[in-house]
Amino acid sequence: MLMLILALLVPLMPNTAAAENSSSSVKDLILLENVPQVENKITDNKISLTALHVYEDGHFEKVTENLTWSTTNKNVAVVEDGKVTLSGHNGRTFITVTDGAYKDRIAIDHKPAKQPRKQKPSFEGKVVKQQGQRYDIIEQAIENMTINEKIGQMLMPDFRTWEGENVTEMLPEIEQMVKEYHLGGVILFRENVVTTEQTAKLVADYQAAAEKYGLLMTIDQEGGIVTRLQSGTDMPGNMALGATRSSELSYDVGQAIGEELSALGINMNLAPVLDVNNNPDNPVIGVRSFGESPELVAELGVAYTEGLQSTGVAATAKHFPGHGDTAVDSHLGLPEVPYDKERLMEVELYPFQQAMDAGIDAIMTAHVTFPKIDDTKVISKKDGTKISLPATLSHKVLTGLMREDMGYDGVIITDALNMNAITEHFGPVDAVIRAVKAGTDIALMPVGLEEVVTGLLEAVETGEISVDRIEESVERILTLKLNRGVIKSETAPNMEKVLANAKQVVGSEAHKQVEQEAAEQSITLVKNDGTLPLNPALGEKIVVIGNTFINSLYQAVRDHHENTELIDASGPLNEEQLNQLESADRIIAGTYTYNVSGRSESSAQMQLVNQLIDELNAPVIGVGIRNPYDIMGYPEVDGYLAQYGFREASFEAMAATLFGENNPTGLLPVTIPGENGAPLYEYGHGLSY
């Protein structure tokens, strides 16, 4: 057995000689658009065609140099460097590309579109693929890949730090691991993406390190509180979008995020969150969700997805089958959702089904148990007790529910496998083996690459995992890569052009405008006892008080009214601080919570706000900086607004709203609970001036 595993491991070492001589082993030139799995779309009478060299060993690379393009009918379409423009006349043309040794062609039709008789005629372009075995390049690639290369495609580790230092540039050790394990992808974190120039260079270096197939360069750029790019446009977040009720804004936000990622070379986003946040006690989803309505989450989530994928960046719906109705953070423990399939299809699964039907590229699984879907019990390695199998590792959830019942055939990716919900109860190798057997395609952030690869190889050799099961995943991964243009190029990118474009796109004024519109339309006026909008005379004093992110709120308010003071306090004030507030004409209390205890009336933060309400004469206005539920802790406040996040645009929009420069139009995307089960404020509630 040991000798067999060692024999299998031999291909892990990169064959540099083969790589160096790969240019002499070209066997064909084809157009990517002729590949059966690739979806083609003509937009605004234009389509860009991509030429690929196919090599003897089955792999393929993008080719751009020394090509000749031609069209058989210029009246239908013209072509320049693969960019096809329809001329507007009816008919068919063949676009041909040749490198002098090999050639390929594809048909473009332009004909009247189907429509009701009385409407004015319109015309549409259509791509007609060529047929033949030469275009089955995914099948050919898989046939020629070693088992190590196939397994490598399914692994997506992070290199957040190396020897205690943040990884912001390619290191020889990391480059070697990309090659040695034939990695299919890498996930980046905030520590890795500091500046636009540095990020674009790092991503390009990762792609250069990949030997045969392009890397899925992935990131969690959700917007709002989960935002990784330090030089990008933050966006106000999903629940803020839920408050706007605007699918158009959601599309624009997804598109802007996609444009920034694409400019940096990042081709996959682990977003949007499609969890239905119908549990106010949820400690990990909260404002990352669009709201508590499955229909709202689906509508805005699909719009965000379409905006994101319109830029060529793959979208990922998460966290399947739904993390919204949980009271445990899966980073820390193993949450449970107790509902049966009928209820799940109506609520938790509804947005995911809509996203699947709309063509989302990938779905991320949740480390959450669903005992009514899978009641399998396993022995926890933590304490030897019997626990339910989490969705991430469940064949009944991933294959039975997602693949068979819901009809999804895109890429399945796990949530991070280094989270406590997995690491405490399953060993790192066992977790990956279980996930692959369950039906996952990509293991995200597995713990210990060498051990995991060895474990998977042994599982294949013993028959615990079939080669067919591995190849199913590789086919899906390569299909995704081809559709998103994640393909190795024979020519290194012109980094000067890449950087110039990235600097123009990332954090652009156009994207800042989208961010501002979303933030302003999200601000929700929940309560107003005649105190808002503020219209203070020059001499009137406003005091902003609070702790977490309070300086950001203070600066935004002070920009509108110079006579504004700040008191940084996380709990009830002493006599001296109270005396300081006696001269205040208005008090703005900013509160920040993310769990149940934070908004409890007994918490220090809520005691502070209630002290202000009870002991001072000046009107008190509460601002829920993160969760809209904060008013539960101080319901007697004079005015209350929700802003759903702590990014700069949200503070600016909040200040503009406080002073009447922005009329609040946001509607609550969640119900704010009151006492005895009755709502304090209903879903959809929102006031205006």
Side-chain angles (χ1 to χ4, degrees):
M1 176 65 72
L2 180 61
M3 292 301 293
L4 191 48
I5 293 171
L6 288 172
L8 286 167
L9 283 169
V10 169
L12 281 170
M13 297 308 294
N15 187 340
T16 51
E20 287 167 5
N21 296 327
S22 62
S23 60
S24 63
S25 57
V26 172
K27 71 170 187 177
D28 202 357
L29 173 77
I30 69 162
L31 286 166
L32 171 66
E33 291 68 28
N34 276 326
V35 176
Q37 294 92 337
V38 171
E39 300 167 6
N40 296 318
K41 188 177 179 183
I42 295 174
T43 305
D44 297 330
N45 288 322
K46 292 181 180 179
I47 184 171
S48 290
L49 302 179
T50 301
L52 302 179
H53 270 149
V54 183
Y55 291 81
E56 293 288 351
D57 67 357
H59 91 281
F60 41 82
E61 294 185 17
K62 193 183 303 181
V63 54
T64 55
E65 295 184 347
N66 302 316
L67 296 177
T68 302
W69 296 85
S70 61
T71 177
T72 58
N73 189 344
K74 291 183 179 179
N75 285 328
V76 175
V78 294
V79 61
E80 184 176 354
D81 293 331
K83 296 178 175 63
V84 179
T85 304
L86 273 66
S87 306
H89 296 94
N90 287 347
R92 166 174 285 194
T93 186
F94 285 93
I95 306 296
T96 301
V97 63
T98 180
D99 61 0
Y102 305 97
K103 70 177 180 180
D104 193 18
R105 69 176 189 169
I106 197 165
I108 305 284
D109 285 353
H110 191 257
K111 59 185 181 180
K114 290 181 180 178
Q115 58 190 15
R117 287 182 188 176
K118 293 183 181 180
Q119 287 190 10
K120 187 179 179 182
S122 67
F123 300 87
E124 63 182 5
K126 183 182 178 184
V127 177
V128 183
K129 295 174 183 281
Q130 303 295 292
Q131 306 289 319
Q133 190 176 354
R134 67 188 290 209
Y135 303 114
D136 294 331
I137 61 171
I138 292 178
E139 183 183 331
Q140 295 169 35
I142 293 172
E143 282 178 3
N144 284 279
M145 292 168 83
T146 65
I147 188 66
N148 299 76
E149 289 175 324
K150 293 170 187 174
I151 285 171
Q153 285 297 304
M154 300 175 69
L155 300 176
M156 185 179 285
D158 67 309
F159 298 103
R160 198 184 306 204
T161 61
W162 190 270
E163 295 183 350
E165 298 290 328
N166 291 345
V167 174
T168 56
E169 59 182 24
M170 180 56 72
L171 301 176
E173 298 91 339
I174 294 175
E175 183 178 0
Q176 176 62 20
M177 292 179 80
V178 172
K179 295 179 188 298
E180 183 178 342
Y181 296 110
H182 311 286
L183 296 179
V186 172
I187 180 172
L188 300 171
F189 283 89
R190 196 168 177 86
E191 294 90 334
N192 308 128
V193 290
V194 183
T195 70
T196 294
E197 187 171 9
Q198 166 268 324
T199 301
K201 179 74 165 60
L202 176 64
V203 171
D205 286 346
Y206 267 115
Q207 292 293 7
E211 286 187 300
K212 293 182 181 178
Y213 301 96
L215 289 170
L216 288 172
M217 294 302 300
T218 307
I219 200 164
D220 293 280
Q221 188 75 357
E222 296 172 14
I225 69 170
V226 179
T227 301
R228 306 300 193 209
L229 297 183
Q230 295 191 46
S231 59
T233 310
D234 292 329
M235 299 299 170
N238 285 355
M239 193 168 283
L241 289 172
T244 72
R245 297 297 198 273
S246 172
S247 54
E248 183 181 349
L249 263 177
S250 293
Y251 181 95
D252 291 345
V253 166
Q255 185 177 53
I257 289 172
E259 286 172 353
E260 296 197 356
L261 296 180
S262 179
L264 294 166
I266 299 170
N267 48 49
M268 187 175 187
N269 192 11
L270 300 182
V273 170
L274 292 189
D275 300 307
V276 179
N277 198 76
N278 47 10
N279 187 339
D281 299 344
N282 194 309
V284 66
I285 302 302
V287 294
R288 295 169 66 193
S289 166
F290 290 102
E292 70 177 35
S293 159
E295 292 77 18
L296 179 68
V297 172
E299 179 189 351
L300 301 191
V302 168
Y304 180 111
T305 297
E306 289 174 344
L308 185 63
Q309 292 187 172
S310 74
T311 68
V313 174
T316 310
K318 61 188 188 186
H319 309 78
F320 185 92
H323 206 324
D325 197 356
T326 59
V328 175
D329 183 347
S330 55
H331 292 82
L332 308 174
L334 189 57
E336 177 183 301
V337 174
Y339 305 116
D340 60 20
K341 182 180 172 183
E342 185 178 2
R343 141 71 195 235
L344 290 170
M345 290 301 289
E346 289 177 356
V347 181
E348 281 79 7
L349 294 175
Y350 180 80
F352 289 100
Q353 185 69 72
Q354 298 304 305
M356 292 174 190
D357 295 346
I360 195 160
D361 285 324
I363 293 180
M364 176 184 283
T365 60
H367 303 329
V368 178
T369 65
F370 291 78
K372 293 285 178 65
I373 301 294
D374 190 347
D375 59 0
T376 303
K377 297 290 184 182
V378 292
I379 303 299
S380 167
K381 293 193 175 182
K382 178 184 178 184
D383 52 19
T385 59
K386 285 187 177 180
I387 60 169
S388 295
L389 195 64
T392 294
L393 310 181
S394 166
H395 187 273
K396 289 180 181 178
V397 172
L398 302 194
T399 300
L401 178 60
M402 197 192 308
R403 295 277 188 224
E404 295 169 6
D405 295 351
M406 300 177 74
Y408 183 64
D409 197 37
V411 169
I412 297 176
I413 182 171
T414 71
D415 204 342
L417 291 172
N418 65 353
M419 288 160 61
N420 280 2
I422 298 298
T423 58
E424 283 191 345
H425 302 291
F426 306 88
V429 176
D430 183 40
V432 175
I433 290 172
R434 285 178 180 270
V436 172
K437 287 169 66 178
T440 201
D441 300 309
I442 296 175
L444 180 65
M445 296 168 64
V447 180
L449 272 178
E450 184 177 353
E451 294 81 3
V452 165
V453 169
T454 303
L456 285 170
L457 286 168
E458 188 167 355
V460 171
E461 174 55 31
T462 60
E464 184 178 2
I465 298 175
S466 70
V467 173
D468 286 347
R469 169 73 273 280
I470 299 291
E471 290 182 351
E472 286 170 9
S473 289
V474 177
E475 182 177 354
R476 290 191 193 98
I477 292 164
L478 292 183
T479 297
L480 172 60
K481 288 182 175 182
L482 286 178
N483 271 299
R484 293 297 166 214
V486 184
I487 306 167
K488 282 284 289 185
S489 179
E490 291 181 350
T491 309
N494 182 326
M495 287 309 295
E496 198 173 305
K497 286 185 178 179
V498 169
L499 294 176
N501 179 61
K503 286 176 181 176
Q504 273 195 323
V505 173
V506 179
S508 69
E509 282 305 312
H511 294 166
K512 293 291 185 187
Q513 183 63 36
V514 171
E515 179 185 43
Q516 182 183 342
E517 288 176 17
E520 288 177 350
Q521 292 184 39
S522 73
I523 301 297
T524 307
L525 179 57
V526 178
K527 184 179 182 182
N528 185 13
D529 286 350
T531 59
L532 292 167
L534 300 177
N535 187 23
L538 286 176
E540 289 187 4
K541 183 166 84 171
I542 295 175
V543 176
V544 176
I545 187 166
N547 183 250
T548 307
F549 292 107
I550 201 61
N551 193 59
S552 297
L553 179 60
Y554 162 70
Q555 292 294 343
V557 171
R558 194 175 185 280
D559 285 345
H560 289 262
H561 185 70
E562 193 171 334
N563 191 15
T564 300
E565 294 181 3
L566 170 66
I567 294 180
D568 192 325
S570 55
L573 304 179
N574 58 36
E575 194 83 24
E576 184 180 338
Q577 289 171 314
L578 281 173
N579 290 338
Q580 186 181 342
L581 283 168
E582 284 295 334
S583 60
D585 295 289
R586 295 284 190 278
I587 297 169
I588 299 171
T591 56
Y592 181 93
T593 67
Y594 55 89
N595 56 22
V596 186
S597 60
R599 61 175 180 266
S600 163
E601 289 189 18
S602 61
S603 76
Q605 185 175 201
M606 299 308 162
Q607 285 183 40
L608 164 63
V609 182
N610 284 311
Q611 179 192 38
L612 300 174
I613 296 167
D614 294 340
E615 299 187 25
L616 296 172
N617 294 322
V620 178
I621 299 148
V623 172
I625 292 173
R626 176 167 168 170
N627 273 322
Y629 304 111
D630 288 6
I631 193 173
M632 293 169 64
Y634 47 84
E636 300 304 316
V637 73
D638 298 294
Y640 179 74
L641 303 100
Q643 73 177 41
Y644 308 104
F646 46 69
R647 300 300 176 189
E648 184 180 350
S650 295
F651 285 111
E652 290 176 355
M654 174 58 71
T657 306
L658 286 166
F659 289 93
E661 294 177 15
N662 176 57
N663 187 24
T665 56
L667 303 175
L668 283 176
V670 293
T671 300
I672 298 180
E675 295 180 356
N676 305 318
L680 185 60
Y681 294 97
E682 298 271 9
Y683 170 89
H685 170 81
L687 306 174
S688 290
Y689 297 146

